[in-house]
Amino acid sequence: MSNHKEWLFPYQVTDHAGREARKLALTLDLSQLIDCATRVPDVDTHTANCLDLLLTSDPDRYSILVTAPLGTSDHCLVKTVSTYSPSDRGPCGVRRVWRYKSAHWDEMRQFFASFPWRPACFSSRDPTSWADAITEVIRLGMEFFIPYSDVASGCKARPWFDADCRHAEACKQSAFLAWADARTRDSPDTRNLKKAYNQASKSCKKALRRARYDHIGRIGTKLASYPAGSKAFWSLAKAIQSNFCRPSLPPLLEPDGSLAHSAEEKANLFATLFADNSRLDVAGKTPPSLPPASSTMREVRIRQREVLNVLRSLDVNKASGPDGIPAIVLRNCAPELSPILTRLYRLSLETGLVPKSWKLANVQPVPKKGSRADPTNYRPISVTSILCKIMERVLPCVCNSFSTAYQRSAQTRHLWVRR
């Protein structure tokens, strides 16, 4: 650590490394913007000090905000904002969490039943536009009648964080702001306010620790009540694993021997590997020519009854595809959505075209045996649209019904000939 009394105040010792670091900053015309304490120990006799630096060549572009530490840490949260930063056009990293238990299913069914589907979705003969429009209407109904919250995708879940924890953190933040304001004004109450903040910080740590331990105890009691190895036991065990640890991929080995560390590098590596393994080497071969058939099969027509039966038998625990349409919505609104989806499936079958949105998939790499650093030891699992999976299940039902009807017709014809 480089100590310099001009930076890491209130330290009064400047070592050789500190002098060289400050000399380098002055040579590069760098200014240090942090001018307040960033570490506040919870011991009354210990002095708050500045341990965090922000060096920049253009200090007028940045604003600094120092707030109370997060959780049980004693290091303050330092936030800097650049007034000239371009808007972030990348992915926002926010996922939407739906609360299906609080959904208004009756209102949603009425919404789908009374929606003007024909002018909104069926104005052309393109299955892709039909599928996109139907998906948009279903998503609109979900936003209207299912409560939801947007959660940062990279944040660690804290299911144990309750109202007591929220109140304790609010008290700590309020005490910190009061102490920081008094310290800036050199108020005589600074020492008392520092003690009040330390007390609020300790109370906050106790509240967080108590809430977490109580949550773990409730989970343990619930696990003990389930039969070992049962479905309910393993479902809860998997939920615990996702709450208390963050699954991630280790650094992956690139073909050139380097390591892929970032999420983007890993995703690109897997995309290249899976694409190469899925590509067929036809070497310019032409498909074989088939002799003409001597008989023709009558037109296969998808009926609404088959679509309704498949919708009612959907597994609500299956993951949704890239379109975000969950199985629980399709199952609960099956009578209202079955005629709409029947028209879509009939058009796709008549035109011989698959909607482009059904060709997309969320690919999840699953490790196999061997080193997890080797990307070849992973196999891809593709999660596609549930609307496409429904059609894949409807077609065998239709073909089976057609085959049964044909067999019955043949038996009847055979009896008629014998007579």
Side-chain angles (χ1 to χ4, degrees):
M1 181 176 178
S2 303
N3 294 330
H4 198 289
K5 63 180 181 179
E6 297 294 334
W7 283 350
L8 305 182
F9 54 85
Y11 287 115
Q12 299 299 324
V13 178
T14 299
D15 57 11
H16 176 72
R19 285 191 294 268
E20 293 299 322
R22 191 165 187 272
K23 185 186 300 183
L24 177 63
L26 294 176
T27 303
L28 299 177
D29 195 21
L30 298 178
S31 301
Q32 206 288 107
L33 302 185
I34 306 297
D35 58 355
C36 59
T38 59
R39 179 181 178 273
V40 186
D42 54 7
V43 180
D44 297 339
T45 57
H46 291 184
T47 305
N49 45 56
C50 176
L51 291 182
D52 303 275
L53 305 178
L54 177 60
L55 300 174
T56 177
S57 59
D58 194 351
D60 296 334
R61 288 192 176 186
Y62 297 90
S63 61
I64 306 296
L65 178 64
V66 179
T67 59
L70 297 177
T72 59
S73 174
D74 59 356
H75 281 261
C76 296
L77 181 64
V78 180
K79 179 181 180 181
T80 175
V81 178
S82 175
T83 56
Y84 295 93
S85 297
S87 58
D88 185 9
R89 305 195 179 194
C92 58
V94 176
R95 62 185 180 92
R96 180 156 294 181
V97 179
W98 302 93
R99 302 188 184 96
Y100 299 111
K101 294 183 179 179
S102 303
H104 304 284
W105 295 113
D106 293 336
E107 289 82 353
M108 182 182 294
R109 297 187 191 98
Q110 185 178 0
F111 171 78
F112 290 145
S114 60
F115 189 83
W117 295 95
R118 183 183 297 274
C121 304
F122 305 140
S123 59
S124 66
R125 294 286 295 174
D126 182 18
T128 297
S129 63
W130 281 31
D132 294 343
I134 292 173
T135 300
E136 184 177 355
V137 174
I138 296 177
R139 292 278 298 184
L140 184 64
M142 293 172 58
E143 293 179 358
F144 282 163
F145 304 106
I146 302 180
Y148 63 88
S149 58
D150 294 330
V151 181
S153 58
C155 294
K156 185 177 180 179
R158 295 195 299 176
W160 44 268
F161 194 85
D162 53 13
D164 293 338
C165 298
R166 193 175 297 106
H167 176 71
E169 284 200 344
C171 293
K172 184 182 73 170
Q173 176 69 11
S174 177
F176 174 81
L177 294 177
W179 168 77
D181 180 67
R183 189 171 182 272
T184 304
R185 296 183 289 103
D186 292 333
S187 174
D189 295 335
T190 301
R191 186 171 183 179
N192 294 332
L193 292 175
K194 172 66 166 52
K195 292 181 179 180
Y197 167 74
N198 289 339
Q199 184 63 32
S201 178
K202 293 178 181 179
S203 300
C204 181
K205 293 179 182 179
K206 291 180 181 179
L208 297 178
R209 191 180 301 112
R210 186 188 312 111
R212 183 179 175 87
Y213 286 168
D214 291 345
H215 177 71
I216 296 175
R218 288 192 298 268
I219 291 179
T221 304
K222 196 171 183 179
L223 273 177
S225 64
Y226 291 148
S230 62
K231 182 178 180 180
F233 178 88
W234 287 113
S235 298
L236 182 58
K238 291 179 180 179
I240 296 172
Q241 183 180 7
S242 62
N243 285 335
F244 290 102
C245 66
R246 185 178 301 173
S248 61
L249 294 173
L252 301 176
L253 188 63
E254 296 272 9
D256 58 359
S258 61
L259 292 178
H261 294 276
S262 66
E264 183 179 0
E265 293 174 345
K266 296 176 185 177
N268 292 334
L269 179 59
F270 277 126
T272 303
L273 177 64
F274 294 156
D276 292 339
N277 294 339
S278 303
R279 189 177 294 112
L280 297 178
D281 186 11
V282 296
K285 297 180 181 178
T286 58
S289 59
L290 300 177
S294 58
S295 60
T296 59
M297 187 179 69
R298 69 180 184 182
E299 180 184 1
V300 177
R301 187 166 182 81
I302 298 176
R303 293 178 293 181
Q304 182 179 339
R305 181 178 61 186
E306 281 86 2
V307 177
L308 180 61
N309 292 335
V310 174
L311 288 175
R312 287 176 171 173
S313 62
L314 289 176
D315 185 1
V316 298
N317 296 319
K318 295 296 183 179
S320 58
D323 56 5
I325 304 300
I328 188 173
V329 173
L330 300 175
R331 180 172 176 175
N332 282 278
C333 302
E336 292 75 22
L337 295 177
S338 57
I340 310 303
L341 297 180
T342 302
R343 293 189 61 177
L344 172 62
Y345 297 152
R346 287 176 179 175
L347 178 64
S348 177
L349 191 61
E350 291 172 3
T351 58
L353 299 176
V354 178
K356 295 180 180 179
S357 58
W358 293 1
K359 300 179 182 180
L360 303 178
N362 295 329
V363 180
Q364 174 66 35
V366 178
K368 300 184 293 187
K369 294 182 179 179
S371 173
R372 298 191 62 182
D374 187 359
T376 59
N377 290 330
Y378 290 81
R379 60 185 179 92
I381 298 295
S382 300
V383 182
T384 57
S385 171
I386 296 181
L387 298 179
C388 179
K389 295 178 181 179
I390 294 173
M391 186 173 180
E392 293 175 352
R393 291 181 57 183
V394 168
L395 286 178
C397 297
V398 175
C399 294
N400 290 337
S401 301
F402 175 78
S403 176
T404 303
Y406 179 80
Q407 291 176 2
R408 290 177 180 175
S409 176
Q411 292 175 0
T412 304
R413 180 177 179 277
H414 178 69
L415 293 176
W416 181 81
V417 171
R418 288 184 61 183
R419 291 178 182 177

